[in-house]
Amino acid sequence: MGRRLLTHGPTMDDIFRQSGENVALLLSKLTFPARDPTVKTVDQEIAPGLKVRIYTPPQYTSPKPVCIFYHGGGWAMGDLEGEDVQCRTISKAANAVIVSVDYRLAPAHKYPVPFDDCVFAYHWALRNAL
């Protein structure tokens, strides 16, 4: 790759920018499967500032199991797009509805906001899983 994948800087913006550059560099060296278009997706805001993406497998018939998916990133990085292919794959392979949570990230949203978003989304999915 030609360089060390380090992040440093006086501000969090510097660190996030460098982290994004590192991820882009790594991703440019890898091949990933294409998004499966047979899995239907719907983005929905379930509370102010809190969005989920709902993945429904092909030939959906109710009831199906529902899985809550929280992307990685240690409460500070990640989003719905970063693990979209994985959620589509899980939904289709498990024949389950996946609710992927786009929780708000630190440092802009200090703990416990990201955690509370995840708990809220869990309860929302329980109320709406039919």
Side-chain angles (χ1 to χ4, degrees):
M1 289 185 212
R3 67 181 182 100
R4 291 185 177 173
L5 301 176
L6 301 175
T7 56
H8 56 84
T11 69
M12 289 303 295
D13 286 339
D14 292 328
I15 292 183
F16 285 123
R17 180 185 47 76
Q18 292 166 23
S19 177
E21 291 169 358
N22 290 340
V23 168
L25 179 61
L26 288 170
L27 292 176
S28 73
K29 307 295 182 187
L30 302 171
T31 303
F32 293 95
R35 292 181 179 185
D36 185 338
T38 67
V39 177
K40 178 183 157 198
T41 62
V42 174
D43 288 357
Q44 185 172 343
E45 187 172 47
I46 62 171
L50 177 57
K51 187 168 71 169
V52 296
R53 179 171 294 159
I54 303 164
Y55 296 84
T56 306
Q59 292 86 39
Y60 172 78
T61 57
S62 189
K64 292 277 187 228
V66 174
C67 172
I68 307 298
F69 184 89
Y70 305 107
H71 64 76
W75 306 113
M77 293 181 279
D79 59 21
L80 293 176
E81 296 305 320
E83 300 190 41
D84 181 72
V85 171
Q86 294 89 324
C87 288
R88 289 172 185 270
T89 301
I90 293 167
S91 177
K92 189 171 183 177
N95 201 27
V97 172
I98 307 294
V99 177
S100 181
V101 182
D102 196 20
Y103 55 84
R104 292 173 287 178
L105 303 174
H109 302 279
K110 298 195 181 323
Y111 182 85
V113 172
F115 176 78
D116 290 343
D117 284 353
C118 291
V119 171
F120 181 89
Y122 168 78
H123 288 288
W124 178 88
L126 285 178
R127 287 191 309 273
N128 292 279
L130 289 179

